[in-house]
Amino acid sequence: MLSLAATMASALPVAGRYPSGLTALEAPNDEERALLDAINADRARKGEASLKWEPILSAVAREHSEDMAEHDYVDYFSPRLGTLIYRQHRAGVSAPNSRYAVFRTSSVESVMETLQREDAPFHLRPATQIGIGVKAEGFLPRMLYITLAAGEKFSSLELFPTMPKYGKPYWLKGTLDPGFENPRLIVTLPNGEVAETPLELDGERRFAHIVWFDKGKGKYTVEVTATGPAGPSVLELMRCYAGVDYPPPDRNEGNGPVLADLRRAERFLYELANKARARAGLPALAYDEKLADVARLHSQDMAANDFFAHISPTRGTLEDRLKRAGIAARKFTENLAANTDLQAAHDGLMDSPAHRKNILDDEVTRVGVGIVRQLTGQLLVTQVFARDFPTYDTDALAGELVAAVNAKRAELGRGALRTDARLERIATENSKAMAALGRHDHRRAQKLLEKERLPFAVQIGVFESSAPVQPEQAEALLEEQYDRVGVAVVQTAEKTGAKSLWTTFLLGKK
């Protein structure tokens, strides 16, 4: 992947600057510098690393503060400019893990007093960078309109377009911080489909990959994910518009419900997920109260221990949490969101290719949602999706295994195995015995074979699995000296939801 850069870089068009690339702040103003120093001094006292001042993010924050001052309001949403997340994307600041705070106050000191009174202070929560915008109004009294935008950044990107030319490829180049592995590029295409590609890292942890904007005109959401200390993480998230104008400011924030009944809120997000699946032609998910309990405990854990991640410092991974709850399934995935508005939380998940992929996964069959409201009004949302273990027609499975084995034997120039009724009956009894014992065992087959006294030698094979056995898993089935077979499969189900297939095959020699 990386070697391609040297041969193709000259053929790719220049990306051009982000819309606000030329208007990034060169330096904080006096009030912004004073607030940055106060925030980092408080972080140092609490043993936290300093936040890096981000110039384009600060330009977005200052624009919002100036708008609040001009139109005399204090809110995250501007009727004229749209949401902060919209403007952050339009400015070209990758926005996977952003949070915001707005104030109208008389001094920097009063802002710090307000922050320090919070149970989970905005400026002390996990973050690596911050944008600060302060607009001073009047003299006596003097009023400060303040916007803070903070987030965690564990990667860096070279210039990438928010308005690429349609039909053209562009290089996505960047570097991952230590501790993050298995990076992936995930893109939501204009038709809503999600494309996923692994990214290769060189010795300096750099990646380079070509992104094509040729799958229809419209919005492409480009995301880079990786696995870090806190589990799967979204490191970069960009909205790119190819062949169309950049859309006008969004009007969504504040229009969705914020339900007082959190159980109703959980069901509301569940319904939104199923509506999204219906639009994609996918079947609805069943609601699972046990999964909802696991999701709710994780949201409570995040609120109580001030983190936002898939891996809990106290309760571990999703797998750990499900195992503790006694829940099993063929596949599990998890989405997290934080917002003051339910519709905005859902929209944010659908805007992220990795989270969208989980909601629109055609393999999952059920979901549970858990929501906790913090004192700040922020809603912490956890969605846990599961794919059930399928129920099989075990007689059909046995026949399919024999047919697949014989097809493979034909490729190898070997004769087909014929089903022997005696071997099949003994195999059935052995699979039933294994299912009852809950472990591998061939003693039942041995006893029955001794009693049957067949005129040919027999080899026994046994399996426990969640998926049907394939010919390559049992090489003996392909050996030339055998000409007859008996296969039986029995399926069992546990209270946890786990299902096991108990397979016995008996091979008779010529």
Side-chain angles (χ1 to χ4, degrees), residues 4 6 10 32 50 77 124 130 138 150-151 183 186 194 206 210 212 250 262 278 291-292 314 317 334 346 351 396:
L4 199 61
S10 60
E32 291 162 352
S50 293
F77 175 72
L124 296 179
I130 191 167
I186 309 177
V194 176
R206 296 177 302 186
I210 296 173
W212 282 87
D250 49 23
L262 293 182
L291 291 181
T314 58
T317 65
E334 183 177 65
H346 171 76
D351 191 47

Side-chain angles (χ1 to χ4, degrees), residues 379-395:
L379 300 173
L380 294 177
V381 178
T382 303
Q383 295 173 321
V384 179
F385 302 87
R387 175 188 177 187
D388 291 314
F389 289 94
T391 298
Y392 291 101
D393 179 337
T394 53
D395 289 338

Side-chain angles (χ1 to χ4, degrees), residues 409 415 456-457 480-484 508-510:
R409 288 175 70 92
F456 49 83
E480 191 170 6
Q481 68 264 35
Y482 300 113
D483 67 348
R484 67 199 76 192
K509 288 187 177 181
K510 297 177 182 179

Side-chain angles (χ1 to χ4, degrees), residues 15-16 88 153 178 415:
Q88 186 171 331
K153 202 78 163 65

Side-chain angles (χ1 to χ4, degrees), residues 185-189 192-197 215 221 223 353 357:
L185 169 67
I186 309 177
V187 181
T188 301
L189 305 173
E193 294 180 1
V194 176
E196 185 171 354
T197 308
K215 298 296 189 294
T221 306
E223 185 174 75
K357 181 183 174 185

Side-chain angles (χ1 to χ4, degrees), residues 321-399:
R321 291 179 266 127
L322 291 165
K323 186 176 181 180
R324 194 178 296 115
I327 301 173
R330 187 77 177 271
K331 173 183 181 180
F332 288 109
T333 52
E334 183 177 65
N335 279 348
L336 304 179
N339 209 297
T340 56
D341 178 274
L342 290 172
Q343 182 68 53
H346 171 76
D347 292 344
L349 291 170
M350 291 298 292
D351 191 47
S352 163
H355 297 88
R356 179 188 186 92
K357 181 183 174 185
N358 287 342
I359 293 173
L360 300 184
D361 188 343
D362 61 359
E363 292 187 341
V364 298
T365 53
R366 51 195 166 101
V367 66
V369 183
I371 300 177
V372 170
R373 180 183 286 108
Q374 296 178 291
L375 293 177
T376 59
Q378 184 97 318
L379 300 173
L380 294 177
V381 178
T382 303
Q383 295 173 321
V384 179
F385 302 87
R387 175 188 177 187
D388 291 314
F389 289 94
T391 298
Y392 291 101
D393 179 337
T394 53
D395 289 338
L397 280 187

